Amino acid sequence: MSSPAPAPGGPAAPPQVALLPPGNTHLRQVLGQYVTGVCAVSTRFETRTGTRHDAIAVNSFTSVSLDPPLVSMYLRADSTFLRRVRASGQWAVSFLGNWARPLVGALTAPAVRRPPVEEAADWAVGPHTGCLLLPDAPGSLECDLHLTQALGDHVLVVGRVLGAVGRDHDPLVFHRGTFTGVAPAP
């Protein structure tokens, strides 16, 4: 039995939504249509020679609550960075500006090939956590680790915001598998 044609001037029939098997590349393509911001997330960790820093690029960051002030991100369950965040109990977020595209390459490399993060940018040390922040970022936050929750092949990481700074700079965004800027409104 076929569906009736929509009335002239009426709403179009909704598109067919197919169920997808896990790991389907089509799902990645569909999700790529959603525009996200890009952040540098940092933490610190102890070594035999003292405190070191690590940072990665993340586009799965979001606000959770204003009261209490909570934000979240998702990290791969097998991530070295996740292990370091859990150990330190603190992390910081710098929203990346359009100028930061070269930094993303350094922050997306696997941990074993990532250059020392201290050399990747001109960082500042956050006053609340001791984690690294980008002083020219459109926004930055420092967080205490509030909770982690395994969800599929990732872990939800929720942080309680200790401090926040905002600046009027153009953001870097991720869309269709690539980085781009935001065009000004006409």
Side-chain angles (χ1 to χ4, degrees), residues 11-76:
Q16 291 288 328
V17 177
L19 296 177
L20 303 171
N24 189 303
T25 57
H26 179 70
L27 180 58
R28 180 182 290 268
Q29 291 170 342
V30 171
L31 293 173
Q33 296 299 322
Y34 185 69
V35 176
T36 63
V38 186
C39 307
V41 181
S42 68
T43 194
R44 56 185 165 63
F45 60 99
E46 298 301 322
T47 68
R48 284 184 237 116
T49 59
T51 302
R52 295 281 317 272
H53 297 274
D54 195 7
I56 60 171
V58 170
N59 73 328
S60 61
F61 174 85
T62 191
S63 171
V64 174
S65 170
L66 295 177
D67 187 18
L70 301 174
V71 294
S72 71
M73 64 179 165
Y74 287 91
L75 300 173
R76 284 190 5 236

Side-chain angles (χ1 to χ4, degrees), residues 3 13 27 65 69 73 81 104-105 114-115 117 119 129 141-142 180:
S3 300
L27 180 58
S65 170
M73 64 179 165
F81 188 80
V104 173
R114 208 165 29 238
V117 71
E119 299 171 11
T129 61
L141 309 168
E142 292 183 82
T180 186

Side-chain angles (χ1 to χ4, degrees), residues 98-107 120:
N98 201 25
W99 50 266
R101 290 180 196 208
L103 178 60
V104 173
L107 299 182

